[in-house]
Amino acid sequence: MKPPPRFKRASVAALAVAAILAGAGCSTPANVDLQPAQASFGARASAQQATDVKVKAREDGGFTVNGKLEGDHFAMAVPANWNGRALVFAHGYSVPGSSVAVSEDPADKDPSGGLMKGAYAQGFAVAHSDFDKAGVGVESAVENTLRLRAFLSRMGVSDAYLAGGSMGGNIVLAIIETHPDAFKGALSGCGLVDNWTDEVGLLIDLRALYAYYTRDTPYALPGEADLNRSALSPTAPNAIGALNEPFRLLQMKRIADPIAALFKAARETPGGREAQIIDKIASIAGVTPEPASLIVPIMTVSLGMDDMNATFGGGVYDNTARVYASPLLSTEEAAALNRDIGRVRATPTAVAYADRWRRSTGRFSIPLVAMHNRIDSLVPYSQFEGLIRKTQAAGNADRLLAITVPEINTPLTGTGLDGLAHCGFTPAQLGAAFDALQSWTTTGQRPTPVMPTAAPAP
């Protein structure tokens, strides 16, 4: 992604304006080595309702700004050749109990898989905000992201783009459908862009099917068996802060290990009992019979069910009337499965909340580029298809550029297995999508981007 020549000219003007308006430098210790315009930017941020502002110079001549907006941490990186525009990123789902802190330098430790780093190289300021909680957090994420956008407006940023991945895609849809004037264009990658009920239902179905078929085997999941509850707590007892991260990683491993063992046994004995279990689960749930498509969703729901129910205010999925079926099952096997599989009920008020935050409508008024892997291990392609159908039904298809990217395999940490990636995009693919969005908003013509192919796995 090569920045147009105008970027550098615009950046000089933008920093000059910031310096003039600020009138004075920041006094925080982090600002000792700043250039006058950089320090002035920090001072102006403090004057524009940001608190605890810290500005640090970057080795490339740019700088970072960290601070709080109404108590929520935000961070941004501003390049030396700033073009006066910004890219705001909304991150995805994290295991409940995880830190909500955002990367202090999003151009260095980039949570977007390379999108923010690429935009920064083009001359964009890149920024993101923390959410009020880990786990499902769309409502607070929308509020905090819009607050960050308003702050950027007060700092003189007129043109800003919005991007998000996974749950962040859901946040993107919530913002552009309810605040149509906040951003110039939007980008969603691997996003939960249709609705929460179907996504949570898939996770619960996979957990229920896995529990049914591995009952009384060495591959059974540990912990609580009630599908309405998390199998294991992701938070250390007594909330001992220093132990939270290693404890959470241990709990994730406890869920992943028996599923990985099942796949390893199936690999050693093709067509055997373990391989048949995997094939039946995948066939009934409609997923690919490979490790990540079971490990990632089952881990997510096994550690996150309590948070989901607390956030939504109850269950959002109801399988009490579902008849589970597969051509791999005999009549007797199907009857036994539907008799004995775990069942859950939905709570109407919870469904209503999940629909507000967020079941997309397909009605938005700015260009949206949406990318999805043809097979994704956590957010299925059906979410992508649902958004396409909605935009068509709303007569809004001309505002959506839908890009399908082939799936890729990636190592599954700690399992000794490879699996299909969730959000399996390369930085070059993300860059091409962002370039297409910029072209679209500049020319008014929806482009046909050429997506770089992913390098084959080593």
Side-chain angles (χ1 to χ4, degrees):
M1 299 182 292
K2 294 182 178 180
R6 70 175 183 276
F7 278 17
K8 189 171 183 179
R9 293 195 296 271
S11 68
V12 174
L15 283 174
V17 170
I20 293 169
L21 291 175
C26 286
S27 59
T28 58
N31 300 328
V32 172
D33 298 324
L34 296 177
Q35 298 297 318
Q38 296 173 350
S40 295
F41 190 98
R44 187 171 176 231
S46 296
Q48 296 299 330
Q49 304 175 25
T51 60
D52 300 332
V53 176
K54 292 182 174 62
V55 183
K56 293 183 180 179
R58 301 184 86 247
E59 292 182 357
D60 61 8
F63 59 97
T64 61
V65 183
N66 279 261
K68 292 182 179 180
L69 296 170
E70 296 186 21
D72 292 303
H73 178 211
F74 76 92
M76 62 186 299
V78 182
N81 64 331
W82 185 35
N83 60 23
R85 297 187 286 176
L87 171 66
V88 177
F89 182 73
H91 67 74
Y93 179 91
S94 57
V95 176
S98 301
S99 170
V100 296
V102 294
S103 170
E104 293 185 356
D105 185 350
D108 178 24
K109 295 183 179 179
D110 180 357
S112 68
L115 175 63
M116 297 177 86
K117 185 173 292 187
Y120 178 89
Q122 283 192 340
F124 283 80
V126 292
H128 58 169
S129 174
D130 65 16
F131 304 162
D132 290 357
K133 60 185 284 295
V136 177
V138 176
E139 183 174 11
S140 75
V142 168
E143 180 181 354
N144 294 0
T145 301
L146 287 169
R147 185 183 297 121
L148 175 58
R149 175 64 183 101
F151 166 76
L152 292 173
S153 293
R154 296 194 298 272
M155 295 297 292
V157 177
S158 58
D159 288 345
Y161 293 90
L162 174 65
S166 193
M167 184 181 75
N170 194 259
I171 295 163
V172 166
L173 264 296
I175 289 175
I176 67 174
E177 290 186 347
T178 59
H179 294 79
D181 299 324
F183 292 93
K184 188 178 183 70
L187 170 61
S188 167
C190 56
L192 202 159
V193 288
D194 190 349
N195 70 89
W196 275 100
T197 296
D198 289 350
E199 175 68 16
V200 174
L202 174 63
L203 306 187
I204 291 175
D205 279 342
L206 281 168
R207 181 184 175 190
L209 289 164
Y210 187 89
Y212 174 82
Y213 281 108
T214 62
R215 188 175 301 150
D216 299 324
T217 76
Y219 313 109
L221 296 174
E224 174 63 61
D226 183 354
L227 298 176
N228 295 290
R229 300 288 308 279
S230 294
L232 300 174
S233 171
T235 306
N238 302 318
I240 302 173
L243 295 180
N244 272 338
E245 183 62 17
F247 181 83
R248 185 163 45 255
L249 293 174
L250 175 62
Q251 298 294 71
M252 293 170 69
K253 179 175 171 56
R254 289 181 64 193
I255 297 296
D257 278 353
I259 309 175
L262 177 70
F263 275 91
K264 291 174 183 177
R267 185 171 57 189
E268 292 174 1
T269 311
R273 178 186 67 159
E274 289 84 2
Q276 292 178 32
I277 289 174
I278 293 168
D279 287 343
K280 288 176 181 178
I281 293 172
S283 175
I284 298 165
V287 302
T288 304
E290 60 85 36
S293 294
L294 268 64
I295 291 175
V296 177
I298 293 173
M299 182 189 299
T300 299
V301 72
S302 294
L303 298 177
M305 194 72 246
D306 290 345
D307 170 76
M308 292 177 191
N309 285 339
T311 302
F312 294 129
V316 299
Y317 177 62
D318 195 314
N319 70 344
T320 54
R322 175 165 182 180
V323 177
Y324 293 90
S326 164
L328 301 181
L329 303 181
S330 67
T331 302
E332 293 76 13
E333 288 174 325
L337 169 64
N338 284 286
R339 182 186 64 239
D340 298 333
I341 193 170
R343 302 284 181 173
V344 293
R345 291 184 180 276
T347 305
T349 54
V351 173
Y353 178 88
D355 285 349
R356 288 196 304 275
W357 304 104
R358 172 70 175 176
R359 180 181 290 269
S360 65
T361 66
R363 295 186 291 273
F364 44 86
S365 57
I366 62 172
L368 170 64
V369 175
M371 296 174 62
H372 216 96
N373 293 113
R374 186 61 188 84
I375 306 175
D376 184 289
S377 57
L378 182 60
V379 179
Y381 193 73
S382 58
Q383 288 279 333
F384 189 60
E385 294 174 315
L387 175 64
I388 294 171
R389 286 194 300 270
K390 287 177 178 179
T391 58
Q392 292 172 340
N396 202 28
D398 59 343
R399 290 195 175 96
L400 173 66
L401 175 60
I403 303 172
T404 299
V405 178
E407 62 276 6
I408 62 172
N409 275 284
T410 186
L412 296 173
T413 304
T415 66
L417 298 169
D418 289 344
L420 293 174
H422 171 47
C423 303
F425 311 125
T426 67
Q429 289 170 338
L430 292 168
F434 187 50
D435 286 346
L437 179 61
Q438 291 181 67
S439 172
W440 191 358
T441 58
T442 300
T443 66
Q445 300 296 314
R446 184 170 60 177
T448 304
V450 177
M451 299 303 295
T453 59

